């Protein structure tokens, strides 16, 4: 995957995390609202199951976006430095 693919994955992870986390917070504060316009209404466990599902989606999106961010920007050492970066060889 190239830099553009990592950037797209990072952006998608950020957007999905923001939407899902906002829905979880709204669901906790206002018990009468429908979570994400009913898109998770078929989740088992009622409202608690829906909140757990949205929390899991937010967590997975945050981890994948963070992973893409780390992979997109290489960790480089200053010129002439041949040390290793904590388990990563210098490219």
């Amino acid at each position: 995957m190239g830099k553009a693919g990592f950037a797209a994955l990072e952006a998608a992870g950020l957007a999905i995390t923001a939407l899902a986390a906002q829905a979880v917070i709204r669901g906790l504060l206002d018990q009468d609202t429908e979570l994400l316009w009913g898109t998770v209404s078929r989740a088992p466990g009622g409202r608690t199951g829906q909140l757990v599902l949205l929390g899991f989606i937010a967590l997975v999106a945050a981890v994948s976006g963070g992973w893409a961010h780390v992979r997109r920007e290489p960790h480089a050492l200053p010129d002439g430095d041949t040390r290793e970066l904590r388990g990563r060889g210098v490219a």
Side-chain angles (χ1 to χ4, degrees), residues 2 30 42 81 87:
D30 188 6
R42 298 185 75 182
D81 196 348

Side-chain angles (χ1 to χ4, degrees), residues 40-50 53:
V40 292
S41 62
R42 298 185 75 182
R47 187 160 186 84
T48 304
Q50 293 172 4
L53 175 64

Side-chain angles (χ1 to χ4, degrees), residues 3 5-6 10-11 18 21-22 24-25 27-28 32 40 46 48 55-58 61-62 64 72 74 76 83 87 89:
K3 282 189 176 185
F6 286 128
E10 182 181 357
Q22 179 185 13
V24 169
I25 292 169
L28 289 172
D32 297 331
V40 292
T48 304
F56 180 72
I57 289 171
S64 65
R72 185 172 61 117
R83 291 179 295 158

Side-chain angles (χ1 to χ4, degrees), residues 3-88:
K3 282 189 176 185
F6 286 128
L9 181 61
E10 182 181 357
L14 176 68
I16 292 170
T17 300
L19 289 174
Q22 179 185 13
V24 169
I25 292 169
R26 238 177 229 224
L28 289 172
L29 297 177
D30 188 6
Q31 299 293 323
D32 297 331
T33 61
E34 199 170 341
L35 298 173
L36 286 180
W37 307 282
T39 55
V40 292
S41 62
R42 298 185 75 182
R47 187 160 186 84
T48 304
Q50 293 172 4
L51 289 172
V52 168
L53 175 64
L54 283 172
F56 180 72
I57 289 171
L59 180 67
V60 168
V63 168
S64 65
W67 177 82
H69 177 75
V70 170
R71 294 291 177 207
R72 185 172 61 117
E73 301 191 10
H75 300 289
L77 292 172
D79 290 337
D81 196 348
T82 58
R83 291 179 295 158
E84 288 189 11
L85 284 173
R86 295 197 179 196
R88 294 184 186 189

